[in-house]
Amino acid sequence: MEKQGARKAAGPAAPLSQDPHRVSQSQANSLEGAIGRQVNDLRKKLGMTIHELARQAGLSAGMLSKIENGGTSPSLSTLQALAGALSVPVTALFAGFEEKRDVSFVRSGRGLKIERRGTRAGHQYQLLGHAPSAPVSVEPYLITLTDSSDTFPTFQHDGLEFIYMLKGRVGYRHGDKVWELRPGDSLLFDPAAPHGPEDLIRFPIQFLSVIIYPKT
């Protein structure tokens, strides 16, 4: 029986470079900072200078500069004038303010162990991430099989499922067909059909399973 090799944890991320022209972090998180960055981005996309946009919006160049730098809180009438000059709805100027962006970081070997139907000795599921605010549910699992003493059950569920083989060899059933998977092979399928490992050919068997389904 082959031994499962150790996995190396990811190295430290490269340090971020600092830009002296960017607003401070506390300012970047403010409504004024978010509006300023959006106005600046939209203006540059249109190829307009500060003076050109200020003239079309009926503002002074100094005032527009303060708005783009997050140094002042523009009135609703000013926002309407800027939106009209930029040809966007007023709501577009608030894009990016306090948008919730999920991130899930899991170190090597630290995935959350999950008890699923079929989880037993020699069958291990690790959930590798969770995104509660995403518009769809995504469940990435690292599945490791090291024991052939039990019959592996088949599954059926909604959504889509993607499998990427990492180690070993397995005959994976989907519906009435069995696919022999080796490292580097993948399957993307409708999981409403009965599916699951059927022929455990070479141990250790390890693969990624990513299940995607709509939130109810």
Side-chain angles (χ1 to χ4, degrees):
M1 182 178 295
E2 299 176 7
K3 293 184 179 180
Q4 181 176 330
R7 298 179 65 196
K8 295 183 179 179
L16 295 174
S17 60
Q18 292 185 339
D19 183 349
H21 299 291
R22 292 182 66 87
V23 295
S24 66
Q25 187 60 40
S26 60
Q27 188 181 27
N29 291 332
S30 70
L31 176 59
E32 291 84 357
I35 291 173
R37 290 194 307 277
Q38 189 68 2
V39 170
N40 182 272
D41 289 343
L42 291 170
R43 174 177 64 78
K44 289 181 177 179
K45 286 179 181 178
L46 293 174
M48 300 174 70
T49 67
I50 285 182
H51 289 280
E52 288 171 340
L53 178 57
R55 184 174 64 253
Q56 291 192 30
L59 303 173
S60 68
M63 175 57 72
L64 179 56
S65 181
K66 284 185 179 181
I67 291 172
E68 289 194 354
N69 289 326
T72 187
S73 180
S75 66
L76 179 57
S77 60
T78 298
L79 292 175
Q80 289 174 328
L82 282 171
L86 293 166
S87 300
V88 298
V90 173
T91 54
L93 302 183
F94 295 90
F97 176 62
E98 292 187 347
E99 288 182 337
K100 189 168 183 180
R101 301 293 185 182
D102 286 325
V103 61
S104 181
F105 172 68
V106 178
R107 288 196 180 277
S108 176
R110 299 293 182 87
L112 179 65
K113 292 184 179 179
I114 299 294
E115 293 291 327
R116 291 186 64 191
R117 182 173 64 86
T119 302
R120 59 196 72 182
H123 299 168
Q124 184 183 92
Y125 292 80
Q126 289 188 62
L127 183 63
L128 300 181
H130 182 50
S133 297
V136 295
S137 291
V138 180
E139 297 178 0
Y141 293 96
L142 176 63
I143 300 175
T144 304
L145 311 178
T146 57
D147 191 337
S148 60
S149 60
D150 289 316
T151 301
F152 204 93
T154 57
F155 299 93
Q156 288 179 269
H157 52 85
D158 294 332
L160 286 173
E161 185 164 353
F162 174 77
I163 285 177
Y164 183 81
M165 195 71 180
L166 297 173
K167 295 180 181 179
R169 288 170 59 192
V170 64
Y172 197 93
R173 173 169 293 282
H174 178 260
D176 60 358
K177 187 168 184 178
V178 176
W179 304 80
E180 183 176 319
L181 302 181
R182 305 184 182 196
D185 292 342
S186 62
L187 279 178
L188 176 66
F189 55 86
D190 179 352
H195 61 276
E198 182 166 300
D199 300 323
L200 308 183
I201 301 169
R202 179 180 296 168
F203 291 97
I205 296 167
Q206 190 173 66
F207 57 92
L208 291 173
S209 170
V210 182
I211 301 171
I212 304 170
Y213 55 93
K215 288 187 174 179
T216 57

